Amino acid sequence: MLEIRDLHVSYGKVDAVRGVSASAAPGRITLVLGANGAGKTTTLRAAMGLLPVRSGQVLLDGKPITGRPTHRIVRDGLVLVPEGRQVFAPLTVEENLVLGGYTTSRDKAAETMERVYEMFPILKERRNGPAGLLSGGEQQMLAFGRALMSSPRAMMLDEPSMGLAPTMVESVLGTVRTIADSGIALLMVEQNADMGLEIADDVVVVARGEVVFSGPAEQARRNTSVVRAFLGEAALGA
Ligand SMILES: Nc1ncnc2c1ncn2[C@@H]1O[C@H](COP(=O)(O)OP(=O)(O)OP(=O)(O)O)[C@@H](O)[C@H]1O
Ligand SMILES: [Mg+2]
């Protein structure tokens, strides 16, 4: 269980995140929606120890991990799949996966790599080729695979469908659902609200650094105008 409680994050005098709370349970997907600049990426990066937290808490299975160094947080069981995928283009697919497993033992990493290859056969096919030659969708799968290499209990995804062709978006979001179904808690930022809602269990809408809506995805699916109103209002205010 991943819990972010009343998180505050600032860039100098700019209060980018002002009391955001969001959680994700094992096997479930919490979708984070919000206009450009709402503070979604800042929330994920601060939870991951990549930005200083001003106040608030991040808990993993009830244990506070707030403000720890990122490699410790990864070892604790939380991992981030960053915006833009950030695969190491000149390295091979397999080398990227090996890097993702650096916090675990060699045996465990080898075992997990087999599971990643089962989940993404295309990565196995391309394992000796440079990651930079993969398509956008394949690079996203590699980014998922690299994150899975640390055997996380919770994963945060920052806009996994960004820049992908519409047909790829569906397949990537399907993969996200499969990852959650394996028992991992997922917190996912996604611009594509309609497609994100199709696979999500819970929704949090952020506007100008604050949570303006939080509830079951089912409620948002039945009444999309509610979410749209929050997103529209956020867009106008941004
Ligand atoms: N490195 C930075 N230095 C200063 N301000 C920043 C920095 N990064 C982000 N911000 C500001 O913090 C706020 C939140 O940005 P953030 O990137 O978290 O938004 P976001 O919700 O992820 O937006 P997007 O949908 O565009 O990805 C914005 O006002 C942004 O301009
Ligand atoms: Mg962002």
Side-chain angles (χ1 to χ4, degrees):
M1 177 87 183
L2 170 67
E3 289 171 275
I4 294 172
R5 287 193 194 153
D6 197 21
L7 195 74
H8 289 253
V9 187
S10 305
Y11 298 103
K13 287 191 177 131
V14 179
D15 297 326
V17 171
R18 302 178 294 161
V20 166
S21 296
S23 61
R28 290 175 72 88
I29 300 171
T30 298
L31 174 68
V32 180
L33 296 173
N36 291 334
K40 306 178 299 293
T41 296
T42 303
T43 299
L44 302 195
R45 287 179 55 81
M48 202 60 223
L50 294 165
L51 286 172
V53 169
R54 213 180 69 197
S55 65
Q57 274 202 312
V58 183
L59 300 118
L60 196 57
D61 296 331
K63 184 178 129 189
I65 55 166
T66 329
R68 290 184 163 206
T70 302
H71 67 274
R72 286 282 305 277
I73 292 178
V74 172
R75 202 164 284 152
D76 288 333
L78 174 63
V79 70
L80 170 68
V81 179
E83 196 173 354
R85 307 178 252 286
Q86 314 287 347
V87 302
F88 302 105
L91 300 187
T92 67
V93 166
E94 187 147 308
E95 284 164 348
N96 271 270
L97 293 178
V98 168
L99 284 174
Y102 83 105
T103 54
T104 63
S105 73
R106 195 174 284 218
D107 285 354
K108 176 87 183 162
E111 186 190 310
T112 311
M113 193 179 292
E114 279 315 307
R115 283 201 290 118
V116 168
Y117 282 149
E118 265 168 44
M119 193 171 202
F120 306 111
I122 187 73
L123 296 184
K124 187 168 190 176
E125 244 172 71
R126 303 283 171 83
R127 67 184 180 280
N128 295 319
L133 288 187
L134 298 177
S135 72
E138 290 162 357
Q139 288 192 14
Q140 187 60 55
M141 286 172 193
L142 178 55
F144 290 151
R146 185 180 55 187
L148 288 168
M149 286 297 294
S150 65
S151 297
R153 279 174 290 150
M155 261 168 92
M156 298 185 292
L157 315 176
D158 200 351
E159 305 208 21
S161 79
M162 192 173 62
L164 300 182
T167 51
M168 256 346 275
V169 173
E170 212 165 303
S171 134
V172 160
L173 293 183
T175 302
V176 170
R177 187 66 252 179
T178 306
I179 293 171
D181 290 343
S182 77
I184 297 175
L186 289 192
L187 188 65
M188 175 175 74
V189 170
E190 179 54 55
Q191 282 289 355
N192 193 328
D194 290 332
M195 295 194 77
L197 278 173
E198 274 180 37
I199 60 155
D201 299 294
D202 300 285
V203 190
V204 173
V205 183
V206 180
R208 280 164 262 116
E210 293 176 291
V211 173
V212 292
F213 174 84
S214 167
E218 179 53 33
Q219 192 181 331
R221 277 193 293 266
R222 267 190 281 118
N223 195 352
T224 46
S225 59
V226 172
V227 172
R228 232 171 278 284
F230 281 124
L231 286 173
E233 192 193 319
L236 287 175

